[in-house]
Amino acid sequence: IIFIEWAGKAAYKLAKKNLRNKKIFIRLHRYEIDTKWMQKIHWGNIQGIIFVNPELERQFKTNINNKVKTIYIPNAIDINNFPFHIPTIENSMLIYSQSFSSRKGYLELVEIFETIIAQASTVTLTIAAKISTRKSDLHYYSEIINLISRKNLQDNIRVRIIKNDCEIISLLQKHNA
């Protein structure tokens, strides 16, 4: 079994090969659905696609390919385990990912959030992720911090480094996630 996390160039290259006795499975992410790779990947050589969102699965079947087998596996977080907290300045919005990678679009998010703050000055955003050792991610993290500072948005946008996966539970609880 070959598991491919991203439906991009690697999936395209592997899917065009006839890999005997190998089964290829891809996890498809939301941002990938509108890329050129959706039309280029040879879906006939893919044994299954994994989705964490049923709407994305429906969109794929409707617009890309309805013959390849798909499976919906919901995210592993049960929201019923998190009590609701009234949104406050401290907990209004949360963005979390595994790294400060440029593919996450945090610089664009800061720009958009600046517009939101102009309309609703009490809204806050927490961007949380782990620090990667990759130079490109470290550079991107610095760009995020500098942009927030340059735009004087420190009161409304917080960046939090997650060192341990257990920290995210507390953060999620505070942000009604």
Side-chain angles (χ1 to χ4, degrees), residues 13-176:
K13 287 188 172 194
L14 281 171
K16 70 181 192 176
K17 296 179 180 183
N18 184 4
L19 301 172
R20 291 189 176 133
N21 302 320
K22 302 280 186 205
K23 294 183 178 187
I24 301 174
F25 293 86
I26 298 174
R27 177 173 177 230
L28 197 131
H29 300 81
R30 175 164 299 286
Y31 73 90
E32 295 166 333
I33 197 85
D34 295 319
T35 66
K36 65 182 180 183
W37 303 112
M38 295 299 101
Q39 303 308 319
K40 289 186 169 196
I41 293 173
H42 186 315
W43 297 108
N45 287 341
I46 304 298
Q47 280 64 48
I49 303 176
I50 301 166
F51 296 91
V52 296
N53 177 315
E55 174 57 28
L56 187 61
E57 181 181 23
R58 185 199 61 74
Q59 186 179 352
F60 177 85
K61 287 180 174 183
T62 301
N63 300 328
I64 310 296
N65 185 303
N66 65 359
K67 291 183 174 55
V68 65
K69 289 181 183 178
T70 63
I71 184 170
Y72 160 60
I73 302 173
N75 280 324
I77 297 173
D78 181 357
I79 62 168
N80 293 324
N81 292 333
F82 299 94
F84 180 76
H85 297 279
I86 303 291
T88 66
I89 288 175
E90 294 299 315
N91 74 356
S92 61
M93 292 188 195
L94 170 68
I95 302 295
Y96 170 71
S97 70
Q98 286 294 315
S99 68
F100 291 102
S101 170
S102 62
R103 83 173 110 210
K104 302 297 181 185
Y106 291 135
L107 292 176
E108 294 81 0
L109 177 62
V110 169
E111 298 282 350
I112 291 167
F113 205 76
E114 180 182 30
T115 305
I116 294 170
I117 293 167
Q119 301 295 315
S121 63
T122 61
V123 176
T124 62
L125 171 67
T126 300
I127 301 172
K130 293 181 180 177
I131 281 287
S132 167
T133 56
R134 290 180 17 201
K135 287 184 180 181
S136 61
D137 289 355
L138 292 170
H139 178 72
Y140 191 68
Y141 170 78
S142 295
E143 285 184 80
I144 296 165
I145 297 299
N146 291 336
L147 181 61
I148 292 168
S149 180
R150 230 179 19 256
K151 293 187 169 284
N152 198 25
L153 300 173
Q154 301 92 321
D155 291 340
N156 295 86
I157 302 176
R158 295 169 182 84
V159 178
R160 178 153 173 201
I161 297 170
I162 301 296
K163 296 179 181 142
N164 181 317
D165 286 336
C166 295
E167 292 177 56
I168 194 60
I169 294 171
S170 170
L171 198 57
L172 288 169
Q173 288 174 331
K174 289 179 185 174
H175 287 82
N176 294 315

